[in-house]
Amino acid sequence: MDFSMFKNLLTKYDSFIITSHVKPDGDALGSVLALTMALKKYGKKVLPIINDEVPKKYRFLPRCGDVRPFIPEVDKAEVMICLDSGDPERLEFKRDLRDICQLVVNIDHHRTNSMYGDMNLVDDSYSSVGEMVYFLLKALDISIDYDIAVCLYTSIITDTGSVKYSNTTPSCLRILAELVELGVKPEVISREVFEKKSLESVMLLKEVLGTLRVCEDGKLAYMTVTKNMMKTTGAKEEDIDGFINYAREIEGVEVAIIFKEQENLKVKVGLRANEWVDVSKIAEEFGGGGHARAAGCTIEGPMHKVQELVLASIKKYLKEGFR
Ligand SMILES: [Mn+2]
């Protein structure tokens, strides 16, 4: 992908909002913070905005205290750069993006991206948006300092599951090596992103593992998180991160699902695949999206109905081998 077109943008415009999706993960936050710091170095006015709280586990990221939700009538910019978000609804500005800025730039690596920008830099061959921001900075000749390196490193290891997933490429491994040369300590970031868990999270895990079901000759595994479990353990949504891997890692499992009961009779569905099922196709069928091996959607209805629907769709896929 040619990021040099971005150069014209910087000659033409001076003020930027850089944003990403709600329930921000390490790629969303890492890429927003890295690009914010970089454009500030370039002399631009930049507002890093995410319409949600920064999860506790990402508060080690440099300058993450600068990220805050949008304030209507106050926050304005010429350009809005949207990172890691397949559709504009996930940004939750609750208004047309063009009411806030003149130009929308969409930089993303989700296959299901709806191309909502005036400029769309979308390519699902990148491991993470952090990797895309790395190449963007190279194209702009902006040097990567230690703080930017920490953010980009966090982006890449979050989305590749610590360079374990199928989106791990020679390119992202080379970038990680360069970031380590700049002083990033892999063991420190791994501990923050993957190891540290709240007590509430482990108490919730105990409950959720009790709901594990395996079917379709061991190829499909799923777990359920109810509102009641959340209440009794005091866990937050972010505490559920990574639970799905307990289902995905079972020998013989191809598809893993986690069903999370939400307010107003909605269920959030997280989907993972190991080798061949394209779960983004299943998520799309229910109005969601994502990547081939990691995707999600939110479906209306009581838990048992949603489970019936999603399980039926996946069983069909596993039998027919395509969608
Ligand atoms: Mn991402």
Side-chain angles (χ1 to χ4, degrees):
M1 172 160 280
D2 183 15
F3 289 103
S4 58
M5 66 212 274
F6 207 83
K7 261 189 186 153
N8 306 328
L9 213 71
L10 295 188
T11 9
K12 239 175 129 181
Y13 300 102
D14 274 312
S15 58
F16 296 81
I17 285 175
I18 300 181
T19 190
S20 189
H21 57 82
V22 293
K23 311 276 173 234
D25 58 10
D27 189 26
L29 282 159
S31 58
V32 164
L33 289 166
L35 190 56
T36 299
M37 288 187 268
L39 294 192
K40 279 190 176 165
K41 277 188 165 194
Y42 211 89
K44 300 297 172 186
K45 270 187 255 150
V46 191
L47 289 169
I49 286 177
I50 292 178
N51 292 311
D52 206 343
E53 244 181 82
V54 174
K56 227 164 102 194
K57 72 151 125 191
Y58 294 117
R59 296 201 190 143
F60 73 95
L61 285 168
R63 318 238 29 117
C64 75
D66 295 352
V67 177
R68 57 161 178 79
F70 177 67
I71 307 172
E73 324 311 331
V74 173
D75 294 334
K76 281 203 169 57
E78 293 162 300
V79 182
M80 183 184 290
I81 304 176
C82 310
L83 302 175
D84 200 38
S85 206
D87 62 65
E89 287 73 39
R90 286 211 72 205
L91 304 167
E92 280 194 14
F93 279 90
K94 296 187 171 112
R95 67 186 62 207
D96 200 291
L97 301 183
R98 272 94 183 166
D99 291 344
I100 305 167
C101 61
Q102 304 161 34
L103 192 82
V104 174
V105 181
N106 166 20
I107 305 179
D108 187 31
H109 69 136
H110 290 89
R111 190 190 62 78
T112 51
N113 191 291
S114 67
M115 301 291 180
Y116 54 92
D118 302 301
M119 199 186 215
N120 297 292
L121 299 161
V122 177
D123 186 339
D124 69 352
S125 66
Y126 290 96
S127 66
S128 53
V129 173
E131 185 182 358
M132 300 177 85
V133 170
Y134 169 89
F135 286 112
L136 186 61
L137 301 197
K138 291 284 164 178
L140 297 173
D141 270 321
I142 299 177
S143 68
I144 297 177
D145 59 25
Y146 173 76
D147 283 352
I148 294 178
V150 166
C151 293
L152 295 179
Y153 191 95
T154 302
S155 273
I156 296 171
I157 63 158
T158 301
D159 273 19
T160 59
S162 240
V163 300
K164 284 189 300 193
Y165 300 155
S166 59
N167 59 352
T168 305
T169 58
S171 162
C172 71
L173 290 168
R174 272 185 217 109
I175 296 168
L176 291 176
E178 188 184 325
L179 301 176
V180 173
E181 279 169 343
L182 289 167
V184 174
K185 295 255 178 294
E187 75 280 16
V188 172
I189 300 190
S190 285
R191 165 105 178 107
E192 295 292 348
V193 176
F194 295 108
E195 292 175 13
K196 258 190 209 171
K197 288 182 176 62
S198 68
L199 177 61
E200 290 82 2
S201 171
V202 178
M203 298 311 278
L204 178 66
L205 178 62
K206 220 167 78 173
E207 301 291 313
V208 174
L209 284 177
T211 71
L212 176 72
R213 299 285 177 275
V214 180
C215 56
E216 299 306 285
D217 293 327
K219 290 203 253 325
L220 177 54
Y222 64 97
M223 300 189 295
T224 309
V225 187
T226 64
K227 283 193 286 188
N228 192 44
M229 290 175 194
M230 299 298 287
K231 216 171 114 192
T232 53
T233 58
K236 289 186 176 172
E237 167 107 23
E238 66 195 67
D239 291 320
I240 308 170
D241 271 9
F243 282 13
I244 195 167
N245 288 324
Y246 287 92
R248 188 184 62 80
E249 286 164 0
I250 298 167
E251 190 177 8
V253 164
E254 173 56 22
V255 179
I257 322 169
I258 191 159
F259 294 98
K260 294 174 267 185
E261 193 183 15
Q262 310 283 297
E263 298 305 318
N264 325 322
L265 265 179
K266 281 184 180 165
V267 178
K268 237 171 126 172
V269 185
L271 297 155
R272 296 288 182 280
N274 277 320
E275 282 171 25
W276 63 274
V277 170
D278 184 346
V279 285
S280 73
K281 299 249 165 76
I282 293 159
E284 263 183 319
E285 192 184 316
F286 298 104
H291 308 284
R293 306 285 177 261
C297 53
T298 301
I299 306 176
E300 258 174 79
M303 183 59 85
H304 70 276
K305 277 277 165 219
V306 171
Q307 292 191 330
E308 227 169 73
L309 274 172
V310 175
L311 292 174
S313 169
I314 294 172
K315 285 176 186 173
K316 194 158 174 253
Y317 195 132
L318 285 170
K319 277 203 184 83
E320 292 169 3
F322 62 86
R323 180 121 234 127

